[in-house]
Amino acid sequence: MFRRLRRAKPISLTEQLQLMQADWDKRARKNARYFVSTSRTDWNDQDFFASGERAIAEDILTDTADIYQGKDPAGMRVLEIGCGAGRLTRALSGIFGEIHAVDVSGEMVARARAALHDRPNVTFYQNNGCDLAAVPPLVFDFAYSSNVFQHIPSREVIDTYVREVHRLLRPGALFKFQVEGNPSARDSSPDDTWHGVSFNREQATAMAQRCGFEHRYSFGEGHHYFWLWFFKPPA
Ligand SMILES: C[S@@+](CC[C@H](N)C(=O)[O-])C[C@H]1O[C@@H](n2cnc3c(N)ncnc32)[C@H](O)[C@@H]1O
């Protein structure tokens, strides 16, 4: 997946973000839906978005007490980080009132916008791969990210996202997201935009504390899909 020879000198954050954008734009142009979900190379619309519905049924509809917190989802504003070609965004937009979705790749965002032109409750943004300055300073009721941080080769970038989500979430709300949990990925190269840095439970808890969250639950420690439930403390 666009593997590079290891560089002799360390890479700057600016170079790293430029690489993320360039590599994901390249993947989007080559076969966006394959790089979003590698179980197939020839996704048609129906199957691609059905796979998003299944993922959201598993991640959201089985966890409504933590996510809805007694609210009507039709009245909730949701932030999605790393929306890709809109696979999960479409399913989220059928549940929640308002979705704001960001991605570092303008090519991915263009595909997501085109595919979800019939969903007026979704707004897409291309961001810099690190913070949420591209999103207006709204208050969000829930934030979600799946299949994204597993590709980010920098703890600094992931920390920045977690702080940024904390800035935008209302007190008490949940950021549910997935990171790489497989320890063999721990020394991923800083210029590898496919294999991200990995976390164990202690590292995840330390990140939550640094960024102002309570790390209430996790699932999948030691595995590729390591899910984290970070709650912003009540005001
Ligand atoms: C494997 S795709 C998953 C897309 C979507 N979450 C899904 O599951 O259908 C990963 C997405 O994360 C985006 N991405 C990678 N690094 C990112 C970063 N640092 N900031 C924002 N988006 C990023 C990529 O452009 C790509 O669209």
Side-chain angles (χ1 to χ4, degrees):
M1 307 284 178
F2 308 124
R3 268 197 176 284
R4 294 181 180 83
L5 293 173
R6 274 176 192 268
R7 292 170 175 226
K9 73 176 174 74
I11 181 172
S12 72
L13 176 62
T14 307
E15 286 175 305
Q16 206 171 33
L17 298 178
Q18 283 167 350
L19 273 180
M20 285 179 206
Q21 187 187 329
D23 286 355
W24 280 102
D25 276 348
K26 228 182 283 175
R27 291 175 186 131
R29 282 192 291 266
K30 200 166 177 195
N31 186 343
R33 289 181 176 179
Y34 166 70
F35 286 105
V36 158
S37 181
T38 53
S39 57
R40 269 174 67 168
T41 54
D42 61 342
W43 287 105
N44 59 37
D45 282 3
Q46 191 182 339
D47 293 349
F48 184 68
F49 290 111
S51 81
E53 293 286 347
R54 284 194 299 276
I56 291 301
E58 195 174 311
D59 296 346
I60 308 289
L61 300 181
T62 60
D63 195 11
T64 55
D66 287 322
I67 295 168
Y68 301 173
Q69 301 182 359
K71 280 180 169 262
D72 175 359
M76 289 175 68
R77 182 183 290 137
V78 172
L79 175 69
E80 182 192 6
I81 298 178
C83 58
R87 185 177 72 102
L88 305 172
T89 323
R90 174 172 280 281
L92 290 171
S93 72
I95 298 173
F96 296 104
E98 215 180 291
I99 313 295
H100 296 255
V102 307
D103 200 287
V104 71
S105 161
E107 295 282 347
M108 286 288 184
V109 166
R111 283 158 180 78
R113 271 203 190 107
L116 272 71
H117 62 91
D118 59 336
R119 298 292 167 116
N121 60 337
V122 181
T123 310
F124 290 103
Y125 311 85
Q126 182 186 357
N127 79 333
N128 63 358
C130 188
D131 66 36
L132 297 170
V135 179
L138 300 164
V139 178
F140 287 85
D141 299 298
F142 173 56
Y144 171 75
S145 184
S146 173
N147 295 315
V148 179
F149 291 175
Q150 69 187 45
H151 297 295
I152 296 183
S154 158
R155 294 185 191 283
E156 183 185 350
V157 170
I158 296 174
D159 251 48
T160 303
Y161 270 130
V162 175
R163 276 183 223 285
E164 283 285 89
V165 171
H166 183 275
R167 175 173 67 81
L168 294 176
L169 275 186
R170 70 165 165 74
L174 169 64
F175 180 25
K176 181 172 183 176
F177 65 107
Q178 172 255 330
V179 293
E180 178 62 67
N182 181 346
S184 67
R186 205 150 278 160
D187 62 346
S188 73
S189 173
D191 61 358
D192 182 344
T193 65
W194 187 257
H195 301 94
V197 288
S198 98
F199 289 79
N200 60 27
R201 189 190 304 255
E202 290 69 34
Q203 289 168 319
T205 301
M207 175 165 66
Q209 285 169 352
R210 275 195 304 279
C211 302
F213 280 101
E214 177 203 346
H215 176 192
R216 201 173 295 169
Y217 326 112
S218 345
F219 178 76
E221 187 183 13
H223 298 278
H224 183 45
Y225 292 98
F226 183 28
W227 280 94
L228 303 172
W229 282 251
F230 282 12
F231 287 81
K232 180 166 173 171

